[in-house]
Amino acid sequence: MSTIVFAQTAPTVTWISNHTTLEIGKNYTFSASYDAGNDGAGTNYTVGKPGGGNILQYSIQLKNAAGSSSWKAGVNDATATGTNSGTSTKAWTIPATIGNPAVAFPTSAQLAPGEYYVLRVGFQNSNLQWSSGAVEQNITIVAPSGDAWSWDASPMSFNSATSLAVPIKYTSDTDIAVDGIKFIFWTETRGTVNDVNLFSDVWHGAVTNSTVLPAGTNVSAILNVNVPAALINSSTGSMYLSSELGPVFDPNAGDAGNNYVNHASTPAPTYIYMFRIADGTDPNFTPVKPNTTDFTVTTSLGLKKSNLSEINVFPNPTSDYVTLPNIDGVKTISIVNSLGQIIKSIPAQKTIDLSGLKKGVYLLKTDNGQSAKIIKK
C-alpha cells in the first residue's frame, strides 16, 4: 500500500507599490499581488474566511522594540474577496485621527523611543490560513505639509483695547480662507494653596480671521481679533488688564482630587489669559499645534492720545530694522515697552535697529507727540 500526499500552497502577498513615508491627510494608492493558495489537489483557496471577515486589508500598525504590534488604522479591498489570486489596488487617505475616542494621529517623531510604524497587507484565506511573504514594510508618518500654523512660543503682551493685533506665522500651500483660523479666548487659574492644586479654565468666546491669508512658507501676518464682550471692562470700555483678573473669572476650580475649591474664599495665586487655536471649520475645536499660548494685557500706552496717522513705520512686524519715511520736526525717538517703560531714546533717524530687542509689542514715541505701535518678531 502506498500513500500519495499532495502539497498545499499557503497564501502569500507581495508589495507592488513602495511607500516609505506617509503624510497625514494625503491620499495614496497601495498595490500588492496576492495568492490565496490551494490544497495541492486541484482546489484553490480564496481570499476571506468562510462566513466573511479577514478580507484583504492594508493597515498601519505600531510596533515596539520587543516586536509586538498594535493596529492603528486600515482600509479594506473588498474586491479581492472570493478570488484566488490577482493584484489588489486600493486608494486610501491617511486619517488625521485614530482610535475611539478619536485622538490626533501621532507622527513618527512623536513616538516613544523604540516605537515605529509598519505598513502591513494581509488576509485570511478560506482554509483559515494567514498570508505570508512580504507582509509589512517600515514607514514614517509625517505631519501634513499643506497647513502648519505656529506662533512665537514666548508669551505675548497687548495693550488694553477692544481688539488685539495678534502676530502669527504660518505655512500653507493654498490661501487660508476667511474664518480659516479660530482663536479661542480663555482665562486660566493656576497655583497651589495649602497643598491644594487650584486649576481650571473658562471659555470666553472664539473669533476667526476676517481676511484671506495668502499661501506661502513661514509667512508672518497680523490678525486683528475682536475681544469678546465678557472680557470688556464696562468702566473703561476696554479689555480687562491681566492684573484685574481674579475669582470673578473663575469662581470654582477642581483640585487634583476633584474636590471643588471656592476661589472667592481661596484665591488662586495666578490668573492668566490664554489663546487656543483651532481650524476655523472644525466644529469640535480640535487644537492645532502649538495649540496654546499665554498672553498678558497691560495698560494702554497712550495710543488714543497720539496721532498715529502722522507716523508711518514699515515693515511691521519686523525682526530687525524699521523705517520711518517722515520724521520732519522730530529730534528724538523713544522706544517704550508694554509696561510703559522707556528702554531706549535715540536721535531722530529714518532707520532704527530693533534687532537687540526681545520679541513683543513696543511703542515708538517722538518728542513732538507722534507714536506708532510696532511688533518685534
Side-chain angles (χ1 to χ4, degrees), residues 2-22:
S2 62
T3 301
I4 300 176
V5 178
F6 296 97
Q8 296 187 19
T9 59
T12 61
V13 292
T14 302
W15 286 103
I16 297 176
S17 59
N18 183 28
H19 299 294
T20 58
T21 300
L22 301 180

Side-chain angles (χ1 to χ4, degrees), residues 12 22 105 116 120 130 224 236 243 260 268 289 302 327 341 344 363 367 373:
T12 61
L22 301 180
F105 203 147
Y116 60 98
R120 180 176 292 182
W130 285 99
N224 292 306
T236 63
S243 59
Y260 286 89
K289 299 292 185 180
I327 55 172
Q341 301 166 330
K344 182 187 293 186
L363 193 72
D367 60 335
K373 184 169 64 174

Side-chain angles (χ1 to χ4, degrees), residues 5 46 100 115 118 140 242:
V5 178
T46 57
N100 185 17
E115 292 182 335
V118 296
T140 301
S242 293

Side-chain angles (χ1 to χ4, degrees), residues 82-100:
T83 64
N84 170 254
S85 61
T87 298
S88 163
T89 301
K90 185 68 177 180
W92 183 29
T93 299
I94 308 305
T97 59
I98 57 175
N100 185 17

Side-chain angles (χ1 to χ4, degrees), residues 187-189 199-202 246-253 263-264 271:
T187 52
E188 190 170 287
T189 301
F199 173 84
S200 68
D201 47 23
V202 176
V248 66
F249 290 96
D250 200 0
N252 297 285
H263 285 188
Y271 293 88

